[in-house]
């Protein structure tokens, strides 16, 4: 059995503010972290999907991790995405992440060559955990990584020393029901909900936390919803989750797969926190979407 205290709460997967040349915008990143900290969140996750992690050089990836670690200064846990295309590359990122005050690393299965055999999945995570002195979180995001983790495989992963939880972004309520139930058999396996549509349902099923990309823009709202779910205040949950869904509707305003990131960066720019530059290539009908973003921010008193 693992012995690390259970991880929990609202862990915000932050966007990565950048300059026009796609280098990390240091001041923008610091300001974003400070804004999120003021929202009362329980953790920050740097270089995840919302952070556009596959598009950065290893130097810029490391720079972002260093800046966030320095800015958090141990106030709350720091989660670092170390996903890559092979076991060797993931281990290299783990070794770099361990130079900083990191509470956990978050790892998808290797991408480009999907792992089609369940034994490969188990072998990969065992190797990663063996190379790591800090907790490993398994990251399941089938919309972008087609590796399918079977139920029996989850049980084997939870037995691996060094693995302390998972982030499930499948959006499948049956999967969430299984994972929350299965995790109860393990002392310190934390389940994090990664899909906004299941935030409330997942927490009410027994998930330990949520990883809301919306927390970049509205961290207080996400924390309030988490608190309402823990208290099982159904009236408050209904009200707050309606706001989460309303803001989350902006995720589909652009044709790009990065549209859900782009509107948050544009919102943060309107809020005076950081620039809205995106890694390239990226395109969207900005003249059409900007009024919609502004309207939602005004509706929820975010600007």
């Amino acid at each position: 059995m693992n012995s690390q205290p259970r991880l929990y709460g609202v862990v915000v997967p932050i966007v990565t503010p950048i300059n026009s040349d796609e280098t990390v915008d240091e001041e923008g990143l610091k300001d974003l972290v400070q804004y999120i900290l003021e929202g009362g969140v329980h953790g920050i996750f740097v270089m995840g999907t919302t952070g556009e992690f596959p598009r950065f050089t290893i130097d810029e990836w490391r720079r972002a991790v260093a800046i966030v670690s320095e800015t958090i200064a141990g106030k709350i846990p720091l989660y670092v995405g170390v996903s890559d295309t092979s076991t060797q590359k993931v281990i290299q990122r783990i070794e770099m992440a361990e130079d900083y005050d990191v509470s956990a690393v978050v790892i998808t299965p290797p991408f480009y060559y999907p792992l089609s055999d369940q034994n490969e999945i188990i072998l990969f995570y065992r190797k990663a955990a063996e190379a790591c002195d800090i907790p490993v979180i398994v990251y399941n995001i089938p919309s972008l990584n087609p590796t399918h983790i079977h139920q029996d495989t989850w049980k084997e992963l939870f037995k691996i020393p060094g693995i302390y939880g998972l982030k499930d972004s499948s959006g499948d309520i049956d999967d969430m029901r299984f994972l929350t139930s299965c995790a109860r058999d393990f002392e310190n396996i934390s389940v994090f909900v990664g899909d906004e549509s299941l935030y409330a349902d997942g927490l009410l099923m027994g998930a330990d936390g949520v990883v809301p990309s919306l927390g970049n823009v509205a961290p207080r709202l996400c924390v309030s919803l988490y608190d309402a779910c823990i208290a099982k205040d159904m009236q408050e949950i209904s009200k707050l989750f309606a706001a989460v869904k309303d803001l989350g509707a902006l995720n589909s305003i652009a044709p790009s797969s990065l549209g859900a990131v782009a509107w948050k960066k544009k919102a943060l720019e309107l809020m005076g926190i950081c620039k809205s530059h995106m890694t390239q290539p990226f395109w969207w009908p900005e003249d059409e979407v900007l009024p919609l973003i502004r309207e939602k921010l005004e509706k929820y008193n975010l600007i």
Side-chain angles (χ1 to χ4, degrees):
M1 284 288 186
N2 297 330
S3 58
Q4 163 112 355
R6 189 180 289 268
L7 302 166
Y8 71 96
V10 177
V11 178
V12 177
I14 60 174
V15 302
T16 308
I18 58 174
N19 302 304
S20 59
D21 63 356
E22 299 191 31
T23 56
V24 173
D25 172 13
E26 181 172 348
E27 292 308 312
L29 184 51
K30 289 179 179 179
D31 289 346
L32 173 62
V33 171
Q34 290 291 356
Y35 170 68
I36 293 172
L37 285 173
E38 290 166 6
V41 306
H42 307 93
I44 284 179
F45 173 22
V46 63
M47 283 294 162
T49 304
T50 302
E52 302 169 78
F53 81 89
R55 289 187 168 184
F56 287 100
T57 66
I58 195 71
D59 288 339
E60 291 303 304
W61 172 89
R62 185 167 192 163
R63 186 160 166 254
V65 173
I67 292 167
V68 176
S69 176
E70 178 184 350
T71 307
I72 289 178
K75 297 182 184 75
I76 58 174
L78 171 60
Y79 299 68
V80 175
V82 295
S83 302
D84 214 311
T85 54
S86 72
T87 305
Q88 184 179 26
K89 287 184 174 182
V90 167
I91 290 173
Q92 179 187 42
R93 288 183 187 264
I94 288 171
E95 291 171 348
M96 291 179 181
E98 288 180 330
D99 289 340
Y100 306 98
D101 187 8
V102 175
S103 299
V105 291
V106 185
I107 317 175
T108 67
F111 44 90
Y112 193 83
Y113 296 117
L115 305 186
S116 55
D117 189 285
Q118 298 299 296
N119 291 313
E120 288 183 333
I121 298 170
I122 295 167
L123 176 61
F124 167 70
Y125 280 107
R126 182 176 291 118
K127 291 282 189 183
E130 287 172 352
C132 197
D133 292 329
I134 51 182
V136 170
I137 304 294
V138 179
Y139 184 1
N140 182 43
I141 182 165
S143 62
L144 295 174
N145 187 320
T147 296
H148 179 61
I149 303 176
H150 295 173
Q151 290 188 354
D152 287 345
T153 303
W154 279 115
K155 294 175 183 178
E156 292 303 312
L157 293 177
F158 292 166
K159 295 175 186 176
I160 295 174
I163 289 183
Y164 289 91
L166 68 120
K167 175 188 179 226
D168 180 58
S169 295
S170 69
D172 187 310
I173 194 166
D174 291 330
D175 284 351
M176 181 55 59
R177 185 175 291 109
F178 165 77
L179 291 167
T180 53
S181 175
C182 180
R184 295 188 192 108
D185 295 333
F186 296 85
E187 184 180 354
N188 290 306
I189 294 295
S190 299
V191 177
F192 286 91
V193 186
D195 189 288
E196 289 178 5
S197 68
L198 293 183
Y199 283 176
D201 286 338
L203 287 168
L204 291 171
M205 286 177 189
D208 300 275
V210 293
V211 187
S213 61
L214 182 60
N216 285 274
V217 176
R220 289 182 180 85
L221 170 62
C222 295
V223 172
S224 295
L225 177 57
Y226 171 83
D227 290 342
C229 289
I230 297 304
K232 293 184 169 56
D233 184 339
M234 302 310 294
Q235 185 173 352
E236 191 72 0
I237 290 170
S238 179
K239 181 183 76 172
L240 296 171
F241 189 55
V244 167
K245 288 193 294 183
D246 190 30
L247 282 164
L250 291 171
N251 290 340
S252 59
I253 63 172
S256 171
S257 61
L258 279 169
V261 176
W263 84 257
K264 295 178 181 75
K265 280 192 169 183
K266 181 54 69 173
L268 290 165
E269 184 175 71
L270 293 171
M271 296 161 67
I273 294 172
C274 64
K275 302 167 187 173
S276 63
H277 299 301
M278 295 289 296
T279 55
Q280 296 301 309
F282 175 78
W283 178 90
W284 68 347
E286 184 164 340
D287 291 342
E288 296 177 22
V289 303
L290 189 56
L292 299 173
I293 297 170
R294 188 184 298 276
E295 177 187 342
K296 295 290 187 186
L297 295 180
E298 292 173 346
K299 179 177 180 179
Y300 294 100
N301 299 313
L302 292 165
I303 55 173

